Every structure is written in C-alpha cells, then in structure tokens.
Amino acid sequence: MKIQCLFKTAALIFVFFLTSCSGELDMNEPGLLVPLTVMEDSSIPSITINGVKLHSETFGDPQDPILLMLHGGPGADYRSLLNFKELADEGLFVVFYDQMGSGLSQRLDESAYSAVQIYIDELDGVINHYKKDTEQKVLLAGHSWGAMLATAYVNQKPENIAGLILSEPGGFTWDQVSDYFSRSLQLQIGNEQTNDFVYQDQFITSDEHEALDYKLALASVASDTGDDPTQLPFWRYGAVCSSASLELAQANQADMDFTQNLANYPTKVLFAYSELNQAYGKEHAELVSAFYPSVNLVEISGCGHEIPHFGWENFRPLILEYLQEIM
Amino acid sequence: MKNIFCAFILFCFAQTAMTQSLNWEAIPEESRHLTALSIGYDFGLTTQLTYGYQIKKDKPIFATIDFSKPAGADFLDDFKVRIGAQVQLYQVNNFKVIAKGYGLYRQHKTDFVSMASFGSDFSLTAGLYQKKWHIAAELGFDKAIATKLKNGEILTKNYSEITDGWYVPTAGNFYYGLEGSKSLGQAFDLSFRIGATRAEGKDEGALLPVYAQFGLIWVW
C-alpha cells in the first residue's frame, strides 16, 4: 500500500510540474531561438539572386577589385569570415553573402536543393550583381565547403576569376570529401561529446526551420577539428540546407567532381591548411591542391579548421603577399 | 496548454509503464517486486536501473520507476527518470497485448544549453508469452511535452535576443521493434528490446535512429 502511495505521489508531482509551466513558448516562432532572416526583418542588408533573397554586405570601394567570400557548410554563415573585411583597406571591395537557406538568408524547402549547380548559379548571380564592368577583377576566397564551391565555379568559368584563396576544402571529388569526412566526423560512442550530440534528439524534433536551425547550432558542440567550437561566431545555421545538400552530394557523387578543367586555370592559388586539424594535414592538402597547376600551399599555425577566424593573424600576411603577387 | 492537459488525461488513464520487457507468464506467484539493470543504446549509450511493483496480485498491473543516464565524463548532466505502469489489455491463450505508459522527466546540459523536459511515453506490445520466454512486437510514441530551455553564454553572445523559457511541445519520436526475454531459473530473466526510432513530422530524425537494450531482471 505504501508503494502504491509512492507511485501516486510521484505521478501527482509530475502532473503538477506539467501544469505549472505558464507562459509557454513555441520553438517555431520566428526570433525566439534563432535570429530573423531577411524574409522577416527588412532592416537586414540583402540582395535577390535567382529569386532568392540573400543576406549580403560589402566593405570598401565598389570600383576596386572584388574579393567575394564563400562560407562553409553548406549551412553555415559568413560571420566567422568577417576578419576578411580588413582587406577593404588594401584596395579590395570585399563582398559577403549567406548562401541560400543558411545564415540570415531566405529558407527553402528540401526540394530546392536539386543539384550542386544551384550554388554555382547563385555565386555567378552574386558576381554579376556586384561587378560594375567586364574589366573589374573578381577574386574568390572560400573556406571549407566555400573553397569547394569556389573551385566548382573556377572549373566551369576559369576566365571569370583573377585569384583564389582557399582554406581546407574537404575535397574536389566525392572520394576526397568522404575520405576527409571519415576522419573529421568520427563519433566515439560513450564519450561526453558524442552523447551530447545524440542525446538532444529526444528533446527537439520539428518540421520548421526555426527549431531545426537551433538544433543544428546545439550539435556544433560535437565538432572536433582542432578549434574550440564554442568560440566560433555564427548567426544561424541552415539545417535543411545542410542535410539536403549532403544527401544530394551522396546521391549524385559523379556531380561532385570539380576537377576536369582545373588544369587550365593558370593563376596561382593560395591554399591553406591548419596546424591543429588532425583530420586534414599536409598530406590531404597536397592531394586536394594537386589539381591546380600553380599552388602556394601554406600551413597556418596555431589554429584548427576555422582558419579565417582563429588563424587570421597568421593567415593575413600570407594573403597580402599573395595579392601583391597576382594583382 | 491543451497539449499538457491531453497528456495529463492520457497519463492518468494509462497509469503508465516500464521499459523492461517483462514476461508476465514467468512471474512467480509469491513475487510482487522486480529490480532490473539494463545497458544499451537509447539516444546515447545508456545504463538504466528499474524498480517495479505489482500493484494488486490479482490484477495484471505493474508500476515501475526507472532511472537512466548516458555514458560520458559529466556524471549527472544528462539523465532520464520515468514513472509508470504496464497493464495487460487482452489475452487469448499465450498471446497477450500489453499497454505501457510513462510520465517522464529528462535533463540535458551542454556548454550551449540546459534543457529540462517533461513528457510521456506510451506503447503497445503484442506477442507470445510462455513460461520460460516471451517475444513481442512493440510500437510506441515518446513525446517531449514541455521543455525548459536555459541558453548558455555561448548562444546569448551570438544572439542576444534568444529567449529562455518553457517551450511546448518540443519533440516526438515513434519507436517500433521487438522485445523478448528468457528465464534463468525462478528469479532471473534476461531481456532485450531492439528497434528503430522515427521523428514525427519532417524532421530527419535522430543521428542514430535505433535503440537496443539488454537487461537482467530480478523478480522477488
């Protein structure tokens, strides 16, 4: 009888807590857990490319050569690349944009991610949006997935790009990318980080971008690529963009070959890898960068994968040296 | 708040449950208590301790309480407590249908956020229950009904307007699979549950959408 009372008391306590949750909130309400996008907040600077509204900012004189920044992911944003805006003082017009479905840009359904080409077309649209005339030079600086996208663009339109700064692209073929993923995304069952990553799946599920983007931000705690993931600035991850793009790449592995035409790109490429990302390293950097005929391969000391943020002090002088050489 | 009251009503009627795959046929006449230790994968590598009590000897209702926690360096940052019961709904010879229901509280803390969540877990199992073993199919739904989020400095630094508070509801996961047991003498059973999970809606679901639990049950 005492045990029955114990169970009933516990049940009542549970019900008390449930019913005492006043002022409950909705995870999917815009602005509560993740920032508003350009679709909800018209004060956010934006451009419209191929019918999609993108968060975009520029720094410097619009007449100067363009340095167009490409963030990682897919599904990350350009906040961690903002050190590059210093290059506006070096005579560059520095352009940032959050790719479709990520950062503060417009969110899209999964079906919108139909081919890698949509990212290349988007990049082409951004270049055409900011380019004043045919004489204005355009350089690309890409990080991680952004470096892969820069290469995919150069592979199709090498004549459009006057210089390339790449930091730790996973690879330029699916085999290279999956090889890198097999080292960088290792989950060790039983450790704290792995459990933090998988345990949250019972707390948050949703149909909506707001909750899914928040959940992806929480998952970044499991990142282990040589930096402290808690210190990396971001605005808002794009969960649908991230998962749909990965599924797209896995389903169309043949389309993930950005190398066929790279041998015809004559300009020297600045290719950086980090000292502390054990999953990358010099060997993988040499393998990936070998598709370009002319490469300045550099190791950035004191940081992991997030070179543009954590390795900026050591990366910046090498970029300036490179710009002097190619401009 | 409607969701909370719906859960409350369901909770009261169902009386609630247990995770252990208990073989009703194997419980000795004189036993009303059970203790079980299980390990397995349930949104993380988890260890679970269960205590159960048969409320009335002449009625097939077993009340249980269990505590589980995932592996990891921080001992009590993540855990789950469930209280509930399982009740036999239907029987033809050795074929039985069992309903299980839980009220549950779970907690999860990381550098990014602290989450405290109340929820429910209801399931049906149907299968063969013999004296020495049982095997049954299981279908259930786990709902995180109300979750309190307290975002850490990392998230507030990135987004100063992020809002702490009670979010309702926050998650739902279906699960389906098999459970079974094999008796080891009079007092002990080896048990298992194995299956898959699927998030409700369009959520792509858990990173590892499976569960597997292996336990030792002591009936006394």
Side-chain angles (χ1 to χ4, degrees):
Chain A
M1 204 61 189
K2 280 179 184 172
I3 294 175
Q4 284 184 49
C5 286
L6 186 69
F7 275 102
K8 282 179 180 171
T9 306
L12 284 172
I13 291 170
F14 170 78
V15 169
F16 169 76
F17 275 111
L18 264 185
T19 52
S20 65
C21 310
S22 59
E24 65 267 22
L25 304 162
D26 180 357
M27 297 192 92
N28 298 316
E29 188 178 325
L32 287 184
L33 292 174
V34 288
L36 300 175
T37 69
V38 289
M39 300 303 286
E40 297 104 19
D41 183 351
S42 58
S43 70
I44 298 171
S46 68
I47 57 174
T48 299
I49 302 296
N50 301 335
V52 180
K53 207 169 178 183
L54 305 177
H55 172 216
S56 181
E57 285 178 285
T58 62
F59 298 87
D61 183 345
Q63 305 300 328
D64 284 341
I66 294 171
L67 176 64
L68 211 157
M69 302 300 306
L70 300 169
H71 64 70
D77 62 47
Y78 71 72
R79 195 173 184 182
S80 63
L81 306 182
L82 281 170
N83 283 325
F84 273 82
K85 69 182 180 185
E86 290 178 19
L87 299 179
D89 298 334
E90 307 295 333
L92 290 172
F93 180 52
V94 186
V95 174
F96 297 88
Y97 75 99
D98 286 336
Q99 294 155 25
M100 63 180 86
S102 59
L104 304 183
S105 290
Q106 182 179 342
R107 291 300 184 269
L108 304 171
D109 287 342
E110 194 174 345
S111 59
Y113 302 92
S114 54
V116 176
Q117 190 63 37
I118 59 170
Y119 287 106
I120 300 169
D121 292 343
E122 180 183 69
L123 170 55
D124 197 47
V126 175
I127 290 171
N128 291 332
H129 179 86
Y130 286 109
K131 195 172 177 178
K132 298 291 179 197
D133 55 58
T134 53
E135 298 303 309
Q136 190 174 19
K137 286 182 177 176
V138 177
L139 296 85
L140 299 179
H143 171 62
S144 194
W145 150 251
M148 293 164 60
L149 175 57
T151 295
Y153 187 84
V154 166
N155 191 49
Q156 289 187 7
K157 299 187 175 183
E159 68 283 357
N160 284 7
I161 303 303
L164 266 181
I165 301 167
L166 308 177
S167 59
E168 291 200 351
F172 300 147
T173 65
W174 177 252
D175 285 347
Q176 289 182 340
V177 173
S178 58
D179 179 43
Y180 174 60
F181 279 178
S182 70
R183 293 190 297 274
S184 64
L185 299 179
Q186 276 183 349
L187 290 177
Q188 296 173 323
I189 295 290
N191 79 4
E192 186 68 31
Q193 279 184 323
T194 301
N195 272 319
D196 283 347
F197 191 51
V198 295
Y199 206 64
Q200 63 171 9
D201 283 323
Q202 60 190 310
F203 290 80
I204 300 172
T205 61
S206 179
D207 287 350
E208 304 295 331
H209 290 287
E210 282 74 13
L212 294 174
D213 292 353
Y214 176 71
K215 187 177 170 185
L216 185 58
L218 302 182
S220 64
V221 71
S223 169
D224 185 18
T225 51
D227 301 306
D228 179 357
T230 66
Q231 298 305 311
L232 187 71
F234 63 91
W235 279 299
R236 174 172 168 175
Y237 291 109
V240 171
C241 162
S242 176
S243 61
S245 299
L246 187 58
E247 283 170 20
L248 173 70
Q250 285 172 327
N252 302 282
Q253 295 177 11
D255 291 347
M256 285 284 292
D257 185 347
F258 308 143
T259 63
Q260 304 96 328
N261 203 27
L262 294 184
N264 298 321
Y265 188 65
T267 311
K268 184 176 270 189
V269 175
L270 178 62
F271 191 112
Y273 66 97
S274 66
E275 178 193 5
L276 302 179
N277 183 4
Q278 300 301 317
Y280 209 88
K282 188 178 182 184
E283 194 178 332
H284 191 69
E286 286 174 340
L287 186 74
V288 176
S289 64
F291 291 105
Y292 284 107
S294 178
V295 177
N296 182 13
L297 187 63
V298 295
E299 180 182 285
I300 308 300
S301 59
C303 69
H305 181 63
E306 301 297 337
I307 295 170
H309 184 72
F310 295 109
W312 180 244
E313 275 187 29
N314 295 324
F315 197 18
R316 186 176 187 275
L318 297 171
I319 292 170
L320 294 178
E321 203 175 292
Y322 170 72
L323 292 173
Q324 270 192 336
E325 191 179 339
I326 64 160
M327 297 293 280
Chain B
M1 197 53 99
K2 277 181 186 171
N3 287 321
I4 294 175
F5 280 113
C6 288
F8 167 38
I9 291 163
L10 283 169
F11 176 75
C12 291
F13 275 97
Q15 287 272 337
T16 306
M18 63 188 296
T19 42
Q20 281 310 318
S21 42
L22 179 64
N23 183 357
W24 289 73
E25 287 295 321
I27 300 169
E29 286 290 324
E30 66 281 10
S31 303
R32 294 188 73 173
H33 306 267
L34 72 85
T35 309
L37 180 67
S38 308
I39 58 166
Y41 184 87
D42 177 23
F43 297 103
L45 188 64
T46 56
T47 305
Q48 179 177 302
L49 191 61
T50 301
Y51 168 73
Y53 175 74
Q54 189 166 5
I55 292 171
K56 287 185 179 172
K57 192 60 196 167
D58 56 340
K59 288 185 182 175
I61 300 174
F62 236 96
T64 65
I65 184 165
D66 63 52
F67 171 86
S68 72
K69 72 168 292 300
D74 302 330
F75 183 60
L76 278 179
D77 58 339
D78 309 323
F79 67 84
K80 181 158 56 179
V81 178
R82 298 187 258 210
I83 180 167
Q86 62 174 301
V87 57
Q88 183 181 303
L89 294 182
Y90 180 75
Q91 178 175 9
V92 178
N93 298 324
N94 290 321
F95 178 81
K96 296 183 181 189
V97 178
I98 311 291
K100 301 176 183 180
Y102 296 98
L104 59 89
Y105 170 80
R106 52 193 145 202
Q107 178 178 296
H108 178 43
K109 286 183 180 175
T110 70
D111 291 337
F112 287 72
V113 68
S114 172
M115 298 195 263
S117 180
F118 291 96
S120 63
D121 182 345
F122 297 104
S123 67
L124 283 174
T125 59
L128 284 175
Y129 289 76
Q130 303 285 356
K131 279 284 180 194
K132 296 286 183 185
W133 58 271
H134 92 279
I135 188 156
E138 175 181 51
L139 173 65
F141 182 59
D142 175 335
K143 185 80 178 173
I145 299 169
T147 302
K148 186 176 188 180
L149 298 179
K150 183 164 175 48
N151 295 286
E153 190 187 339
I154 295 161
L155 291 182
T156 53
K157 193 170 67 181
N158 276 290
Y159 178 44
S160 60
E161 292 170 49
I162 196 166
T163 308
D164 293 344
W166 284 97
Y167 285 82
V168 180
T170 60
N173 284 288
F174 294 97
Y175 58 91
Y176 48 94
L178 291 174
E179 64 158 56
S181 69
K182 175 80 177 76
S183 295
L184 298 175
Q186 279 280 306
F188 291 96
D189 277 26
L190 285 176
S191 71
F192 76 92
R193 293 173 67 238
I194 190 163
T197 65
R198 185 187 175 91
E200 66 176 333
K202 291 180 194 165
D203 190 295
E204 66 173 5
L207 181 73
L208 293 175
V210 295
Y211 65 90
Q213 189 176 42
F214 303 93
L216 179 65
I217 304 172
W218 174 35
V219 182
W220 48 285

